[in-house]
Each structure stands twice: as structure tokens, then as C-alpha cells.
């Protein structure tokens, strides 16, 4: 019995680790190694140790490409991510809260629309038509509003499920203490939603930051590049500079990675309370 | 004192001079319906309006500035062009293959990662890593790894004297290769959702099953599997929606090629848009809409029904 438990715990674990190294770590090590090579060696695509370790030179080179386009793209992507996720969180929390607390005939309609928003693929060209009508096509403002809209449904589902775990007595206590609807929501409820807020922020920030299709349609041209567009255009322009291409991939992976390292535990907690029950 | 203050404060923002009844209702309900409005406006303008107008624009020859009504011409053209029809079939293959694999692998990994094995924390982190890398980055990385001549994968296969397929240059393999990379990237999310589902199962159930003498397989079959069903429903729904709509990975790895062998509806939509056929592109969108809805409605209904039975 003890021998069986030992094999279960260690043997299985060691096999899993070996498989994970091959399947999951090798591609990441490959990215880092490629990013450190000189152009000639990187072009060979081999899984080899860099003969000439030039990670800082590649870093500077990739940033300087096209008049510091990557820096501009980073700023754009970060603004896009922060603003659209902030809008998403506040608006979706308001809807999720109301859906859970107030039972009216409207609920069925709203629930249906939320589900439709999750399932229905966005109609891209007509969206461009709407953005042009509003005069915000190919602008960061337009892109922010579109990203915020596309993320609403998923966020609402998570919030709705979580609000159910907050006792109504709390609302009543706040009302008796004289809080209005705004204060009740923003000062009592929203702080209590923290675990889901973290989940929504991390999941949606990674999604928006990594989104490629949205900017491809709604931010064409090179006026407002995002990091994903810059990466895509980079690979189609310079076939010979694989070291810079992989340096680019490495750099734009860092922001999501930092988010994940900080919020790792809360994501699982938020998922447990929200996604699975919903 | 509080009640009086509350009454005054609450009466303030409501419609001035409204009847007594309405005022009392606003006191009882601190949940104002206008909370729907901010999200509702965004939803209407940037989602509902484009979706509804797409049904009209799909029937036109359209340049964004001028439009000419041509009836179902776009749809006829869509289904008469072999390349476009293949995109339709490929979408279904891609959606079901990636979704099925994510359910099976995700559940397997979640079982492994919730059991007390050695190196669990490391394994949990590493499975989730690919989720963080952008799809374009993943696509380009695997394109390099799977390069038919220099790629690491084929080098290793060659070392063992195994066949070295042209992963994304062989028309028969391209779609499945991209699907495989999609699974590699997305299995972390499925695993996370399954893990959350398994952890939420009360441990008494497992203890009771063991006391009754159930083996590992019986515990899985009769306790874990039924109770993890809500998580499974979430994984199936999310991965199926994602798979059927998938565009960026395919575009980053193959551009729908070689030929049209890995084209899906979403990439056809982009190609037609790029070529300036906005009406045809929008017709593709309507077809994608119909495909996704026709598949998701029964799936959703089925999964919810089973959930309710529990």
C-alpha cells in the first residue's frame, strides 16, 4: 500500500514533469534562445545554444525598429487594455448586481441578451460602418468601446453568479444607515466583489492585450499600432530577422506574465466562485 | 431619525412631484433600473446594431459608401465557390476537434493536478503558461518549431528515423496542425475550470465512496464525473464558441493555406473584407452566426437540462 502510494505520488509526478518539460517548456525555452541569437543563427531555427549571446542588442534593435514603433504600440495597448477593462468591470458589475438583486420582467430579456453576446460572433464590417458613422473608426476611442462591449457578456455572467453570495441583509443595513443606490453599489457592493473583479480584470486584460482580430479590423494602418499588430506586421516584413521577431514575442508576453504571477491564486478562487456555478 | 433622513434623501433624485406610491416604491427598491443603461448603450450601439444591420448588408453589394441590393446573391456565391464551402466544413471540424480535445485533456490534467502528486504547483503553472502568450506569438513560435526542414519537431523525428510530415505545408494536415496548437494553447483554461469544479466537490462524497469500497475508476465514474458536470458545461460551451469563431491562430500560422485547406469561415470573412467585398464578407458573418447559433442552442439546452436533473 505504501509502495503504491509512493509510486502514485512520485512516479506519476516525475513522469508528468518530464512530459511537461517537453510539451510546455521547450517552446518557451526556444523563444528565449531565439531572442538571444544573432540573425544568422536564429534563421536556422535550431534548438541550439546561442553562440553569440546578444540579448541586450536584440532588445535595443527591436525597440528601435520603424522609429520606435514598438514603444508606441506598447503605450497604445496598455491604454486600450486599462480603459476598456475599467469600463467593462464597472458596467458589467452594475448589470450583474441588478440582475441578481432585482427580479423584474426585464430579467429574462437581459439574460437572453447576455447569452447572445457570448455566443453571437460580432459582425465586423457593419461595426466598422457604425464606427465610421460616429467618426471614431481607426481611433483608440473606438477600439476601447468595441473591446469593452465584446467583453461585457462574460464579465456579467461572472458578476451575476458572485453577487448571489453576498447576503441581502448587507444591502438592507446600508440602506437603513442612509446609503443611496449609488453609495450602496459603489461603496458597499463593489468592494465586496473584489475576488471576481480580480478574476475579470486578469482574464479580460490578458484577452484585450492579446487581441489581434479586433485591432486588425478596427485599427488598420500604422497610425495606432497595438503590440499584436506590430508583431504580425513584423513577421510579414522581415523574414530574415528571426532573432528580433522572437525578442518581440518575448517582450509582449511579459505584461500578461506579470499579471498572472501577481494574481495567480485569486484567479482560481474567482473561477471557483463565479464561472463554474454560473 | 434614520428613516426620516432616508425618506428625504431617497425622494430627492426620483421624479419630482411624483405620486406618493412611486416614491414609496423607490424607497423599497434601492436597485435602480438605470444601472442597465451604461452597458446597454454600448451593447446596442457596438453589438446589436451591427448584428441586425448585417442581415441587410449581407444582401447587398456594399462598399461602405454605396450599397446595391442584390438579394441572396452573396449567399449563392458563398456556397457555389468550393473554397468557401471548404471553409464551412473546416469550421465544423476545427470547432469540434479542439473542443473535444480540450474537454478530455482538460479533465485528465485537472484530475492529475488536484491529486497529491509531486511537483503539483509547478505543473499547474506550466500548463497555464501558454494561455498568457498572445495567439499571434504562439502561432509564430509553433510555425518555427514545426518548420518542415529546420524545425525542432522534425529534427527530433528525423533522429528517430520517423516520417517528417510538412505539418502546415501539407494540405491534408494543415487544419489539424493548427487545431493541435490551439489545443496546446487553450488546454490551460479548460484545466483551470475543471480544477475549480473538482475542488468544489465536498470531500464527504469521496470518503463515502471509499468507505463503500469503490475503486479509483468507480469513484471517477460515479462521483467525480456527475458532480463536475457544471464545469464541463462551461468548458464545452466556451471552447466550442471559441473554436467555431477561431481566426487569429489560423491567420498567424497558415493564412488559410496551403490553397484553401485550412480556411475557416472567419478567415474567409477577413479575406473578402480585405479584397473589398464587404457585402460578401458580411454574408459570411451571417453564415457564421447561423452556424454558431444552430450548434450552441441545442448544446446549451442539453447541458442545462442535465444540470437541472442533478
Amino acid at each position: 500500500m505504501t509502495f503504491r502510494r509512493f509510486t502514485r505520488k512520485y512516479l506519476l509526478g516525475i513522469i508528468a514533469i518530464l512530459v511537461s518539460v517537453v510539451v510546455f517548456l521547450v517552446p518557451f525555452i526556444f523563444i528565449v534562445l531565439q531572442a538571444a541569437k544573432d540573425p544568422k543563427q536564429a534563421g536556422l531555427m535550431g534548438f541550439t545554444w546561442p553562440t553569440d549571446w546578444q540579448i541586450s542588442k536584440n532588445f535595443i534593435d527591436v525597440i528601435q525598429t520603424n522609429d520606435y514603433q514598438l514603444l508606441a504600440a506598447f503605450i497604445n495597448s496598455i491604454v486600450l487594455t486599462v480603459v476598456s477593462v475599467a469600463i467593462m468591470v464597472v458596467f458589467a458589475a452594475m448589470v450583474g448586481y441588478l440582475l441578481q438583486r432585482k427580479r423584474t420582467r426585464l430579467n429574462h430579456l437581459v439574460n437572453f441578451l447576455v447569452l447572445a453576446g457570448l455566443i453571437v460572433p460580432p459582425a465586423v464590417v457593419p461595426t466598422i460602418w457604425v464606427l465610421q458613422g460616429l467618426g471614431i473608426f481607426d481611433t483608440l476611442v473606438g477600439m476601447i468601446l468595441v473591446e469593452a462591449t465584446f467583453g461585457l457578456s462574460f464579465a456579467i455572467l461572472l458578476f451575476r453568479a458572485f453577487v448571489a453570495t453576498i447576503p441581502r441583509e448587507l444591502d438592507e443595513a446600508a440602506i437603513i444607515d442612509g446609503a443611496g443606490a449609488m453609495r450602496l453599489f459603489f461603496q458597499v457592493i463593489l468592494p465586496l466583489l473584489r475576488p471576481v473583479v480580480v478574476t475579470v480584470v486578469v482574464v479580460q486584460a490578458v484577452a484585450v492585450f492579446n487581441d489581434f482580430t479586433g485591432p486588425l479590423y478596427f485599427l488598420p494602418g500604422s497610425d495606432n499600432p497595438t503590440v499584436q499588430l506590430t508583431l504580425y506586421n513584423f513577421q510579414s516584413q522581415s523574414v530574415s530577422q528571426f532573432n528580433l521577431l522572437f525578442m518581440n514575442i518575448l517582450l509582449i508576453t511579459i505584461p500578461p506574465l506579470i499579471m498572472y504571477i501577481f494574481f495567480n491564486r485569486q484567479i482560481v478562487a474567482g473561477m471557483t466562485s463565479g464561472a463554474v456555478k454560473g | 431619525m434614520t428613516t426620516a433622513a432616508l425618506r428625504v434623501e431617497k425622494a430627492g433624485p426620483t421624479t419630482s412631484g411624483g405620486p406618493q406610491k412611486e416614491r414609496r416604491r423607490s424607497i423599497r427598491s434601492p436597485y435602480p433600473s438605470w444601472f442597465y443603461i451604461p452597458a446597454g448603450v454600448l451593447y446596442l450601439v457596438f453589438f446589436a446594431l451591427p448584428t441586425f444591420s448585417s442581415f441587410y448588408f449581407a444582401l447587398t453589394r456594399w462598399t461602405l459608401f454605396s450599397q446595391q441590393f442584390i438579394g441572396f446573391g452573396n449567399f449563392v456565391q458563398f456556397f457555389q465557390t468550393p473554397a468557401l464551402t471548404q471553409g464551412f466544413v473546416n469550421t465544423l471540424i476545427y470547432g469540434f476537434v479542439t473542443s473535444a480535445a480540450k474537454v478530455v485533456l482538460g479533465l485528465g490534467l485537472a484530475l492529475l493536478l488536484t491529486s497529491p502528486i509531486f511537483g503539483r504547483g509547478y505543473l499547474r503553472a506550466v500548463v497555464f503558461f501558454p494561455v498568457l502568450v498572445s495567439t499571434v506569438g504562439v502561432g509564430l513560435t509553433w510555425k518555427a518549431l514545426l518548420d518542415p526542414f529546420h524545425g525542432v519537431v522534425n529534427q527530433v523525428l528525423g533522429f528517430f528515423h520517423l516520417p517528417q510530415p510538412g505539418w502546415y505545408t501539407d494540405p491534408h494536415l494543415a487544419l489539424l496542425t493548427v487545431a493541435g496548437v490551439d489545443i496546446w494553447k487553450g488546454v490551460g483554461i479548460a484545466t483551470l475550470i475543471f480544477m475549480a469544479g473538482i475542488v468544489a466537490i465536498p470531500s464527504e462524497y469521496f470518503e463515502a465512496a471509499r468507505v463503500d469500497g469503490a475503486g479509483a475508476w468507480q469513484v471517477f465514474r460515479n462521483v467525480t464525473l456527475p458532480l463536475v458536470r457544471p464545469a464541463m458545461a462551461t468548458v464545452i460551451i466556451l471552447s466550442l464558441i471559441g473554436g467555431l469563431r477561431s481566426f487569429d491562430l489560423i491567420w498567424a500560422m497558415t493564412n488559410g493555406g496551403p490553397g484553401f485547406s485550412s480556411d475557416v469561415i472567419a478567415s474567409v470573412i477577413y479575406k473578402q473584407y480585405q479584397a473589398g467585398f464587404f457585402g460578401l464578407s458580411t454574408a459570411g458573418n451571417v453564415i457564421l452566426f447561423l452556424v454558431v447559433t444552430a450548434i450552441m442552442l441545442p448544446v446549451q439546452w442539453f447541458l442545462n437540462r442535465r444540470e437541472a436533473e442533478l
Side-chain angles (χ1 to χ4, degrees):
Chain A
M1 187 64 201
T2 37
F3 178 71
R4 257 180 81 185
R5 193 171 288 163
F6 176 83
T7 45
R8 247 190 95 107
K9 191 175 172 188
Y10 287 97
L11 202 66
L12 206 62
I14 288 165
I15 294 171
I17 289 172
L18 290 178
V19 172
S20 80
V21 168
V22 173
V23 176
F24 289 106
L25 278 194
V26 163
F28 286 98
I29 299 168
F30 179 73
I31 296 175
V32 177
L33 290 180
Q34 285 289 85
K37 289 174 183 174
D38 62 50
K40 207 174 144 200
Q41 201 194 356
L44 295 174
M45 300 286 199
F47 195 77
T48 48
W49 203 249
T51 46
D52 181 15
W53 198 271
Q54 47 168 267
I55 203 152
S56 56
K57 182 181 180 299
N58 289 346
F59 174 76
I60 293 164
D61 281 355
V62 78
I63 285 183
Q64 285 178 338
T65 319
N66 294 337
D67 278 341
Y68 295 92
Q69 200 193 29
L70 189 61
L71 275 187
F74 253 107
I75 294 168
N76 278 338
S77 280
I78 287 169
V79 171
L80 172 64
T81 307
V82 170
V83 181
S84 65
V85 171
I87 294 175
M88 214 183 288
V89 164
V90 177
F91 289 10
M94 288 163 85
V95 173
Y97 163 71
L98 209 59
L99 267 180
Q100 190 63 50
R101 285 293 199 255
K102 193 176 186 178
R103 304 278 167 188
T104 62
R105 276 164 297 159
L106 220 65
N107 279 34
H108 284 294
L109 177 68
V110 177
N111 277 325
F112 169 78
L113 291 177
V114 168
L115 215 57
L118 199 66
I119 293 175
V120 173
V124 277
V125 192
T127 308
I128 293 176
W129 170 72
V130 170
L131 288 170
Q132 275 192 335
L134 295 170
I136 49 173
F137 177 58
D138 206 2
T139 66
L140 213 50
V141 175
M143 192 69 241
I144 286 169
L145 294 175
V146 168
E147 292 283 10
T149 309
F150 289 174
L152 278 177
S153 287
F154 185 67
I156 290 172
L157 286 178
L158 289 187
F159 280 121
R160 191 188 61 185
F162 194 83
V163 170
T165 67
I166 298 175
R168 258 171 196 274
E169 286 78 24
L170 222 63
D171 301 17
E172 283 153 20
I175 295 161
I176 289 172
D177 284 347
M182 290 287 274
R183 280 190 63 171
L184 171 58
F185 176 71
F186 283 100
Q187 291 192 346
V188 179
I189 302 295
L190 205 52
L192 290 173
L193 293 178
R194 219 186 99 106
V196 210
V197 170
V198 171
T199 308
V200 172
V201 166
V202 175
V203 172
Q204 300 287 23
V206 170
V208 173
F209 189 83
N210 282 343
D211 186 23
F212 168 64
T213 318
L216 186 69
Y217 277 109
F218 307 122
L219 282 178
S222 55
D223 295 342
N224 292 307
T226 66
V227 286
Q228 306 305 329
L229 274 190
T230 319
L231 176 62
Y232 181 74
N233 292 334
F234 194 89
Q235 65 100 32
S236 49
Q237 279 163 12
S238 44
V239 204
S240 56
Q241 292 179 299
F242 281 103
N243 55 338
L244 299 190
L245 180 73
F246 281 93
M247 178 55 84
N248 198 333
I249 296 176
L250 190 63
L251 286 180
I252 67 174
T253 307
I254 290 171
L257 197 67
I258 292 174
M259 283 211 94
Y260 178 68
I261 290 169
F262 271 101
F263 296 112
N264 179 3
R265 281 202 187 152
Q266 280 106 315
I267 301 175
V268 183
M271 279 286 183
T272 322
S273 54
V276 174
K277 283 181 201 156
Chain B
M1 174 233 142
T2 30
T3 350
L6 177 71
R7 217 166 267 264
V8 173
E9 201 183 321
K10 287 304 296 175
T14 50
T15 44
S16 53
Q20 190 69 35
K21 199 175 145 201
E22 198 167 305
R23 212 178 276 180
R24 211 184 300 141
R25 190 193 293 160
S26 77
I27 292 166
R28 248 187 290 145
S29 168
Y31 310 121
S33 293
W34 68 262
F35 270 28
Y36 283 140
I37 291 176
V41 168
L42 282 184
Y43 187 93
L44 280 180
V45 175
F46 297 106
F47 183 75
L49 177 62
T51 302
F52 278 109
S53 61
S54 72
F55 291 105
Y56 168 72
F57 286 125
L59 305 174
T60 63
R61 190 171 288 133
W62 186 31
T63 64
L64 276 181
F65 302 104
S66 69
Q67 49 199 279
Q68 184 197 350
F69 192 81
I70 55 163
F72 285 94
N74 288 324
F75 292 93
V76 172
Q77 195 183 341
F78 194 97
F79 283 108
Q80 274 177 352
T81 320
L84 305 188
T85 320
Q86 180 157 25
F88 184 84
V89 177
N90 283 349
T91 304
L92 297 180
I93 296 174
Y94 191 91
F96 281 105
V97 167
T98 52
S99 180
K102 282 175 193 173
V103 169
V104 175
L105 290 175
L107 182 56
L109 283 169
L111 284 172
L112 188 71
L113 298 183
T114 48
S115 67
I117 62 160
F118 176 69
R120 193 169 68 170
Y122 152 82
L123 287 168
R124 282 185 182 183
V126 90
V127 168
F128 199 74
F129 259 15
V131 176
L132 302 168
V133 188
S134 73
T135 316
V136 180
V138 166
L140 297 178
T141 305
W142 276 100
K143 215 176 150 179
L145 290 167
L146 293 170
D147 189 280
F149 304 108
H150 312 295
V152 178
V153 174
N154 276 2
Q155 299 274 328
V156 173
L157 290 175
F159 181 78
F160 290 108
H161 300 287
L162 290 165
Q164 304 171 39
W167 295 101
Y168 53 86
T169 50
D170 180 347
H172 300 291
L173 266 180
L175 186 72
L176 290 177
T177 301
V178 183
V181 175
D182 191 320
I183 295 160
W184 179 85
K185 178 173 164 49
V187 79
I189 297 231
T191 308
L192 182 72
I193 296 173
F194 274 123
M195 264 164 42
I198 293 171
V199 170
I201 299 173
S203 56
E204 291 85 39
Y205 289 108
F206 294 111
E207 283 158 20
R210 270 193 210 106
V211 168
D212 288 348
W217 169 251
Q218 280 175 311
V219 171
F220 171 72
R221 180 72 193 76
N222 297 316
V223 181
T224 316
L225 204 55
L227 289 173
V228 87
R229 199 161 249 153
M232 189 173 293
T234 310
V235 172
I236 293 175
I237 289 167
L238 288 181
S239 62
L240 207 49
I241 294 172
L244 292 171
R245 288 182 185 180
S246 184
F247 168 74
D248 36 14
L249 189 64
I250 290 164
W251 198 249
M253 284 188 74
T254 64
N255 282 7
F260 303 99
S261 58
S262 64
D263 253 330
V264 291
I265 300 179
S267 66
V268 170
I269 293 171
Y270 184 68
K271 283 180 179 173
Q272 301 305 330
Y273 159 77
Q274 225 182 3
F277 299 122
F278 292 169
L280 191 57
S281 174
T282 307
N285 236 326
V286 170
I287 291 169
L288 183 60
F289 166 84
L290 294 175
V291 169
V292 175
T293 315
I295 292 171
M296 291 319 295
L297 281 186
V299 167
Q300 187 103 28
W301 176 79
F302 179 75
L303 292 173
N304 284 343
R305 192 189 57 135
R306 297 299 282 268
E307 222 173 291
E309 268 173 20
L310 275 175

